[in-house]
Amino acid sequence: MADALGRIVGSNLFEVPSGPDVRSADRERVTLAAMEMGAQYIWGAALPRDPRGGRRGGIDLLVKDSTGYVPVLVVRHKITDPGQGARTSPLTMPLPDGSRTDPHRKVRPQPRDQLRLAHAQRQLQAAGYARNGRATGGVIGMDADVVLWHDLEAPTWPGGRNALAEYDARFSDRLAVALAAANEKDPLARPSRIVDCKTCPWWPTCDRDLKQGRDVSLVVRGEDAAALRKIGLSTVDKLAELDPSAEGPVQLVGMPFGDAVVLARAWLRDLTLVRRVPEMKVPRADVEVDVDMESFGDLGAYMWGCLLSGKDIDEEHGYRAFVTWDALPCDDEARSFAEFWTWLTGIRLRAKARGLSFRAYCYNELAENRWLLASAERFAGKPGIPTIAQVKEFIGSDSWVDLFGIVREQFLCAHGKGLKVIAPAAGFSWRDPEAGGENSMRWYRSAVGMNGDELDVDQRQRLLWYNEDDVRATHRLREWMTSDAMSRLPFAGDL
């Protein structure tokens, strides 16, 4: 994006040095110097610290009008939807004064963007470089064709609040928690596991504390944990003492109360999985294909990996990947998706012609279905691209099986339902010890040299191995679930 802006605004763009060898304090000094000399556009700004307010941070872009600077974010997600009413300006004029009411776009709600802009606005105000008038911030989305402008003082939040007021309330709460911890006072907040914990840098610390206290949030979702604590069931041990067949003292949101009791008992015995049913039911077929898709944020799906197994249909069994190594978004994505769809359809038709049953499997169809439909829509009319109707027919048929849904229905999972948790119980392990969705994003950036990252073609093979192991994991899980090993797995009714 910096290169694109450089081509648009030319020498008016000032880029703050970055990299592992550049200290944050030096970047802040350079940013401050650029604002002092009145640079029109400042890329990669590290805003001056606000010690009195307890703030520090940066912003992708600062743009200057006659009275001061306005923060602009660059994000990898959609910021508008078809409609009207959004205020936008072209990239050739990335200034709020150049904005207009867009007749083709409406704002897609992205609260995180507005809160990040509010943080930058408060830093600019503390440094004395915010522009006069209403607080405003811009966002450049994944399409990178316009700047969307948010009025941070407009009452667009629940209860008639604006983004700045919402930010101030949340920041005040977090600052109070941090100050209490720093002063070794009674903590204002205690850990409780929620979905977002897995991506939080503090999770290793909270995980340790929760396990030491055997906190009930380790086996139930966040709101259910809060409800259980209110009636004195704050630990896994206390929950496990109850009768799973009796009516629970509270109504849980995430699961039946009896399941929560069984999960607590499984957790205490360090059991990853417990059967909910006496006999597992997994749809099988003569010809089977395991599918796993790799995407990069909202920019697109760059790889479709497949593992063919089952009866012979004159097609080599094993793994194959349909992939583009052009940086997303790109036209070559249409080619790789079309090749994947053509191959998969050919396998289905060949099996049908021989009187053989066919099924394709994935783990958590939400991701695959999203990009199957989105790819058909985005690349409609290009060679080999299916219609949306054809995709909907496939994903709605018995030929498309979501193993995640089967795991959720037939197992109780004491440590989570992710493939990286469940497949090892079936005896599968990934070749790469760092295999994971978040790491794959980093590998992809290097594999295509995205956003100035140094090109590292070795990461392409790493991504191929990662994808292959994912499809082999679903294959191994399915084989295991339909084997005699299931009879040796603990049954919920026996705990």
Side-chain angles (χ1 to χ4, degrees), residues 148-166:
L148 170 68
W149 296 101
H150 291 285
D151 181 346
L152 302 178
E153 297 184 45
T156 56
W157 287 66
R161 299 189 306 277
N162 60 50
L164 275 180
E166 179 70 15

Side-chain angles (χ1 to χ4, degrees), residues 80 83-88 100-103 105-107 148-149:
T80 62
Q84 57 185 351
R87 292 202 64 83
T88 65
R100 63 182 179 91
T101 301
D102 199 313
R105 294 177 173 91
K106 66 179 181 179
V107 175
L148 170 68
W149 296 101

Side-chain angles (χ1 to χ4, degrees), residues 345-356:
T345 302
I347 297 297
R348 290 180 71 190
L349 293 175
R350 202 175 305 173
K352 182 178 181 179
R354 297 175 188 228
L356 301 175

